[in-house]
Amino acid sequence: MLSDRSRPVIEATLPVVADNIEEIATRFYDHLFGEHPQLLDGVFNRGNQAEKTQQMALAGSVAVFANSLVKVPEQLPDHLLSRIAHKHASLGITPAQYDVVHDHLFWAIVDVLGDAVTPEVAAAWDEVYWLMAYALINQERGLYSARGVRPETVWREWEVAEKVQETEDVVTFRMRKIDDRLVKTSLPGQYVTVQVPMPDGVRQPRQYSLTRADDGEHRHFSVKRVRGGGKPDGEVSNRLADSVQVGDRLTMSLPFGDVVLDDSRPAVFASAGIGITPMAGMLSHLAAARSHLPITLLHADVDEASFALRHQVLEDIRYLPGASAHVWFERGGKHGGTSTMGAEVHAGLMDLDDVKLPHDAGYYLCGPLPFMQAVRSALIERGVPARDIQYEVFGPDLWQADLATEETPGASDRGALQPG
């Protein structure tokens, strides 16, 4: 809890810090990597650095945390902290790295704000930083302990056993273990961090959802090729798609992720585009467990050919006696039609008015933030409690998810219900 001495200082200075926090974050990263270039190897995503999304992620997370301390002093923003802690654990982040970040972040604050950073202001923001840091360190310590690992031992080499071209832009990798150690069980919905060696020798980390239930020998993840559209193409996704082949080895973390299936109740999965990947992992788990619960898959995509993992997920749907699937295609769908794979197909953008939802279900969303925002709004208008809706976030904008889903426009904003 923020001290009574610091709260009025944070309230007074939060607007000016928020106005300058993007510049603070930019100076911070420049200074950090100037002193510690090794952090660009295996820890930080340099694509996000180049696009400044990582800078905004840090800035947004700190601002959201500070704002929460002021507005709701008795409660930390648990969703935000949990997402960040799981991502940090999948990267093997250590407590000592928080000291490094602190030193460079506060150098940047003084560099940008100058004389406005009085000793009183510095002390107040120092308190905010360490409240957030210690909350994350404690969560991460618990995650490591639960897995029986240390930050440096979350990693393991795996071999590419199979590479499957799912769609024009999506490739699935089936990875095989190469030693005699037990494979730590993943929970349905979790992801791994994959370290991909680049041509210049730097390892770049990316998180990918596990798309099949564990069998003790293999892990499966799917990668969508990132095409720049006026910006540079994604260096990791394109290297995985073009250069990594069967027999190659990749370093992967243990599974982490806080969006985990509750397999004791009915479930509704709502996804768009490559957001199908965590849903595929959850459905695979349910099929392996021979679940008889009511299960509903809702998926939006451009057309049937763009629907990644469609054969796997729809086969699992057919295998589950209580399951059904609705798919919306921007191109090629017909209202009330049925595809060759048995899903109920709808034309255009996702419209939940077309769907009967099971009672007392848990809801799992994944896709672009505007998509999740609109779906969540539509569900709440239909009486679904907010506590029953979970959402997985790809990329560095973990902090935006809470804003985008808590400050939701009316469900009539159907324009957001698209795969993106």
Side-chain angles (χ1 to χ4, degrees):
M1 187 176 294
L2 195 61
S3 68
D4 291 339
R5 181 185 61 183
S6 293
R7 183 172 293 107
V9 178
I10 297 301
E11 284 183 297
T13 57
L14 187 56
V16 68
V17 171
D19 287 344
N20 290 276
I21 203 162
E22 183 176 358
E23 179 63 20
I24 291 169
T26 300
R27 302 274 187 93
F28 157 72
Y29 279 114
D30 288 344
H31 201 254
L32 175 69
F33 295 137
E35 296 288 328
H36 302 277
Q38 71 276 10
L39 292 175
L40 282 170
D41 183 9
V43 178
F44 283 95
N45 178 329
R46 63 187 180 187
N48 289 338
Q49 288 292 323
E51 294 183 4
K52 295 193 179 296
T53 50
Q54 187 72 55
Q55 289 87 326
M56 286 305 299
L58 172 70
S61 296
V62 173
V64 168
F65 185 82
N67 193 54
S68 176
L69 290 179
V70 169
K71 288 189 172 181
V72 194
E74 71 280 2
Q75 181 179 333
L76 293 176
D78 291 332
H79 284 164
L80 174 69
L81 294 172
S82 179
R83 285 195 200 98
I84 295 174
H86 276 269
K87 190 166 185 178
H88 281 183
S90 81
L91 290 163
I93 297 299
T94 67
Q97 287 171 314
Y98 283 91
D99 291 295
V100 174
V101 167
H102 171 270
D103 293 345
H104 291 277
L105 180 60
F106 276 78
W107 173 90
I109 290 173
V110 173
D111 187 53
V112 173
L113 299 182
D115 293 341
V117 186
T118 64
E120 182 183 38
V121 169
W125 280 97
D126 191 72
E127 185 177 339
V128 169
Y129 176 84
W130 284 114
L131 281 171
M132 185 173 183
Y134 284 134
L136 289 170
I137 288 168
N138 288 335
Q139 287 201 29
E140 289 153 24
R141 184 180 291 117
L143 292 172
Y144 293 136
S145 176
R147 287 296 192 179
V149 295
R150 301 181 305 278
E152 62 271 20
T153 60
V154 301
W155 304 104
R156 182 174 182 174
E157 273 203 331
W158 296 70
E159 183 178 271
V160 180
E162 187 179 8
K163 183 179 179 182
V164 179
Q165 193 73 41
E166 299 280 354
T167 71
E168 181 180 354
D169 285 335
V170 178
V171 179
T172 291
F173 291 86
R174 182 167 68 92
M175 308 299 296
R176 175 174 52 222
K177 74 172 188 172
I178 57 175
D179 54 41
D180 294 329
R181 290 183 296 161
L182 290 175
V183 175
K184 300 280 186 177
T185 303
S186 67
L187 299 176
Q190 291 191 311
Y191 55 78
V192 292
T193 291
V194 182
Q195 288 185 343
V196 183
M198 306 309 294
D200 61 1
V202 171
R203 297 164 300 155
Q204 279 291 280
R206 298 293 188 272
Q207 285 78 37
Y208 296 110
S209 297
L210 295 171
T211 56
R212 281 191 184 271
D214 284 342
D215 65 3
E217 299 286 330
H218 301 91
R219 297 236 195 265
H220 298 74
F221 65 89
S222 298
V223 179
K224 182 177 181 178
R225 186 192 297 269
V226 177
R227 301 188 187 275
K231 300 179 181 179
D233 291 343
E235 62 171 346
V236 171
S237 64
N238 283 278
R239 184 162 179 80
L240 285 167
D242 296 334
S243 302
V244 175
Q245 304 298 337
V246 172
D248 290 343
R249 293 185 177 183
L250 293 172
T251 300
M252 297 197 308
S253 75
L254 287 170
F256 291 97
D258 64 330
V259 179
V260 172
L261 175 70
D262 177 356
D263 59 4
S264 67
R265 62 188 299 193
V268 176
F269 306 114
S271 57
I274 196 62
I276 190 63
T277 52
M279 312 309 180
M282 295 185 201
L283 283 167
S284 177
H285 169 83
L286 290 166
R290 301 177 181 271
S291 174
H292 284 71
L293 289 168
I295 305 296
T296 304
L297 172 67
L298 313 172
H299 182 71
D301 228 310
V302 175
D303 52 32
E304 188 167 318
S306 302
F307 182 179
L309 297 166
R310 60 189 181 278
H311 299 291
Q312 174 188 323
V313 298
L314 292 174
E315 181 179 344
D316 285 340
I317 289 288
R318 287 196 299 272
Y319 183 77
L320 292 164
S324 61
H326 293 260
V327 180
W328 286 259
F329 293 135
E330 290 184 40
R331 299 195 303 258
K334 294 181 180 179
H335 284 291
T338 302
S339 78
T340 55
M341 293 174 287
E344 191 75 16
V345 177
H346 309 267
L349 307 180
M350 186 180 289
D351 185 348
L352 299 190
D353 293 340
D354 295 341
V355 181
K356 182 179 179 181
L357 301 175
H359 176 68
D360 193 30
Y363 291 79
Y364 305 87
L365 316 183
C366 189
L369 287 177
F371 168 84
M372 294 194 292
Q373 180 181 19
V375 170
R376 183 178 183 277
S377 176
L379 291 173
I380 287 175
E381 283 198 4
R382 289 185 60 166
V384 176
R387 66 178 180 274
D388 290 337
I389 305 172
Q390 297 189 65
Y391 37 91
E392 182 58 279
V393 185
F394 294 155
D397 48 356
L398 307 182
W399 64 281
Q400 289 185 355
D402 287 323
L403 297 181
T405 52
E406 297 301 332
E407 299 173 9
T408 326
S412 59
D413 183 14
R414 301 295 182 190
L417 291 167
Q418 54 189 335

